[in-house]
Amino acid sequence: MAKVKTAVVYYSATGSVYALAQAAAKAAELAGSEVRLRKVRELAPEEAIASNQGWAAHARQTQDVPEATLADLEWADLLILGAPTRFGIPAAQLKQFIDTTGPLWAEGKLVNKVATSFTSAATAHGGHETTITALNNTFYHWGCLIVPPGYADPIQFQAGNPYGTSHTSDNGQVPPGEVELAAMSFQAKRAVEVAAALKAGLSR
């Protein structure tokens, strides 16, 4: 049977979501999936980025990460989407990319893909769960099969978010730690396993 194909699509300003996206991509590969790690296009003006040292540094660090395209979504069996929260909803950069998916949606090309999401917020109650559920609203419209981490692994009782991996960054000052990275790895592995089972079932 062909490998599960995973697209990890993310937006990150100062690197927290990027670190989680890297963990997801690595775990998916270890679970036997072919993986594309893709960032979405930056929308903020250069002067705004330059005014924030962490933002500017991260932009330089990830300048060679390929930008996501609709072809990446069509190619994938599993979609892992992540973005920082902005006032309780996903950052505009990822939302703008999502808003370009109308042609795929209209042709039913996103139906029955497995999907899962993750986020990072500046504060402990800064929109972790609402951002993830907002991303999941998109998956409902696409006709995806949403795979949350739940409490299906002991790491989830430490991470504490059954909706999807989330991290409190203190405005980018605190990178994801061992618990968050382990939770992201578990979430990605679980999603690959579900996607593989679904793919096997559909190929019979």
Side-chain angles (χ1 to χ4, degrees):
M1 187 183 70
K3 284 185 175 182
V4 168
K5 295 175 289 188
T6 300
V8 181
V9 179
Y10 76 94
Y11 172 71
S12 188
T14 57
S16 296
V17 173
Y18 176 57
L20 294 172
Q22 286 182 303
K26 181 178 179 180
E29 286 182 343
L30 289 173
S33 179
E34 184 179 350
V35 178
R36 293 182 184 178
L37 177 64
R38 299 289 189 264
K39 67 183 180 184
V40 296
R41 182 168 298 176
E42 180 61 81
L43 302 178
E46 290 185 8
E47 53 270 27
I49 298 171
S51 69
N52 182 307
Q53 184 177 357
W55 199 353
H58 181 67
R60 290 191 299 270
Q61 177 192 1
T62 58
Q63 60 185 332
D64 295 328
V65 176
E67 287 189 356
T69 67
L70 296 185
D72 294 316
L73 299 186
E74 185 174 357
W75 166 85
D77 304 302
L78 166 60
L79 307 173
I80 303 178
L81 269 58
T85 179
R86 297 289 185 265
F87 303 111
I89 57 177
Q93 288 86 344
L94 184 61
K95 180 60 168 63
Q96 191 277 335
F97 176 71
I98 289 170
D99 287 349
T100 69
T101 62
L104 293 182
W105 167 81
E107 295 180 34
K109 291 185 175 179
L110 300 172
V111 172
N112 288 340
K113 294 183 184 290
V114 173
T116 195
S117 56
F118 63 98
T119 191
S120 178
T123 59
H125 302 286
H128 296 248
E129 293 173 3
T130 57
T131 298
I132 290 171
T133 54
L135 284 170
N136 289 355
N137 285 338
T138 298
F139 300 149
Y140 294 129
H141 283 260
W142 287 351
C144 296
L145 303 175
I146 299 170
V147 178
Y151 291 101
D153 185 88
I155 191 63
Q156 288 302 109
F157 291 93
Q158 296 181 61
N161 192 338
Y163 300 89
T165 302
S166 63
H167 168 62
T168 302
S169 71
D170 190 18
N171 289 314
Q173 299 302 305
V174 179
E178 290 184 10
V179 169
E180 292 87 358
L181 296 174
M184 187 74 257
S185 296
F186 165 69
Q187 183 177 344
K189 177 177 179 287
R190 172 172 158 82
V192 169
E193 290 170 350
V194 172
L198 178 64
K199 193 168 187 175
L202 292 175
S203 65
R204 288 175 184 167

